[in-house]
Amino acid sequence: MTMKIAFLASQAESAERAKEDLARRYGNAPLAEAEAIVALGGDGFMLHTLHGTQHLSVPVYGMNRGTVGFLMNEFSPDDLTGRLREAEEAVINPLSMKAGCLDSTVHEALAINEVSLLREGPQAAKLRITVDGRIRLEELVCDGALVATPAGSTAYNYSAHGPILPIGADVLAITAVAAFRPRRWRGALVPKTAQVRFDVLDAERRPVMAEGDGQAVRDVEWVEVRSEPSIVHRLLFDPGHGLEERLIREQFV
């Protein structure tokens, strides 16, 4: 029995060639009719695909034609329909970011991996952290801070020495980037339902930018972050290589 598959590819030559070959073998259904979407590229293109197709209730299966590929499956053109039918599904929710700027504008974005705040200038950022309306850290002097989902906990969060979270964990990680004061603060875990707010102290002299999956907002005064349960992303992985297994395996390398 055939399956309607839509193929999307990054601009990499290897991804474009793979898309042409797979479309000849399996056809290339319109997105609106697809039973599955196959994204050809790296993790960055996978995030791009998930954002671009979030209005569709269609699972996305990534095949690595990039460099990292944590969210991708091994590339093989053979028996793709069978692989899709046998694939394990992981369901994740993105983060919602709302950022207020010095010019009084307010910007919103969604992030599957993390929302990060980073200093823009030579001076360290000064941030106040509030969780569900209660101030938890009056002043964090740092290069930045971030809130990561379980799915994104092996990305920038892990590089900043944050924890790897199990995919089913109902928590978010708050992680400092190069904390100067308090030096021993190593971040925190908060419930997935929590709203995290960062207020930028002395925002004019110590400018800060906010970023969610590559969408940057400069000169922010405050940023609010929360999980967005109304948006669901469905990811497909080969059996035995699902997102839960990858997150566990990453902790033993």
Side-chain angles (χ1 to χ4, degrees):
M1 189 173 177
T2 59
M3 176 184 287
K4 293 182 178 179
I5 306 171
F7 293 98
L8 301 175
S10 71
Q11 296 180 349
E13 185 178 346
S14 61
E16 291 287 356
R17 285 201 309 268
K19 177 184 174 182
E20 293 174 6
D21 179 42
L22 292 167
R24 281 194 298 268
R25 292 191 184 207
Y26 303 99
N28 194 2
L31 283 173
E33 300 175 13
E35 298 173 76
I37 297 168
V38 173
L40 301 158
D43 281 347
F45 184 70
M46 183 60 156
L47 294 177
H48 174 79
T49 299
L50 291 172
H51 283 298
T53 60
Q54 67 186 29
H55 61 291
L56 304 171
S57 182
V58 181
V60 180
Y61 178 88
M63 283 207 289
N64 194 8
R65 294 283 81 188
T67 54
V68 180
F70 183 80
L71 298 174
M72 315 302 279
N73 297 282
E74 182 180 350
F75 177 78
S76 174
D78 299 327
D79 192 26
L80 179 58
T81 301
R83 291 173 71 183
L84 290 173
R85 294 196 187 284
E86 295 174 4
E88 301 174 358
E89 183 173 310
V91 176
I92 61 175
N93 305 113
L95 296 173
S96 170
M97 176 183 83
K98 182 180 288 188
C101 300
L102 287 169
D103 62 4
S104 298
T105 58
V106 177
H107 303 263
E108 297 185 18
L110 294 170
I112 295 165
N113 275 352
E114 76 278 319
V115 170
S116 57
L117 285 78
L118 298 169
R119 70 178 191 180
E120 291 184 58
Q123 290 184 298
K126 288 187 176 181
L127 307 175
R128 180 168 60 235
I129 301 176
T130 303
V131 179
D132 288 335
R134 183 172 179 180
I135 296 175
R136 292 296 184 178
L137 194 56
E138 190 66 53
E139 184 180 271
L140 172 65
V141 182
C142 56
D143 282 352
L146 60 91
V147 178
T149 65
S153 63
T154 61
Y156 188 20
N157 172 71
Y158 192 40
S159 297
H161 306 291
I164 294 179
L165 305 177
I167 190 61
D170 288 329
V171 296
L172 304 173
I174 305 175
T175 300
V177 179
F180 177 71
R181 191 172 61 244
R183 284 188 186 275
R184 295 186 179 181
W185 192 69
R186 292 295 179 262
L189 299 178
V190 298
K192 185 178 178 180
T193 55
Q195 177 170 288
V196 181
R197 178 182 171 104
F198 298 94
D199 286 288
V200 181
L201 309 178
D202 201 6
E204 292 188 359
R205 292 205 313 104
R206 299 172 181 265
V208 170
M209 66 177 289
E211 185 175 280
D213 285 356
Q215 303 176 73
V217 181
R218 301 181 69 88
D219 298 327
V220 297
E221 281 190 297
W222 56 266
V223 177
E224 293 178 347
V225 185
R226 62 180 178 85
S227 180
E228 184 49 77
S230 66
I231 299 176
V232 174
H233 296 293
R234 301 168 60 196
L235 286 74
L236 297 178
F237 296 94
D238 292 329
H241 299 277
L243 198 52
E244 183 174 356
E245 167 62 22
R246 292 170 187 229
L247 290 168
I248 293 174
R249 189 173 62 217
E250 193 73 14
Q251 298 176 74
F252 292 91
V253 295

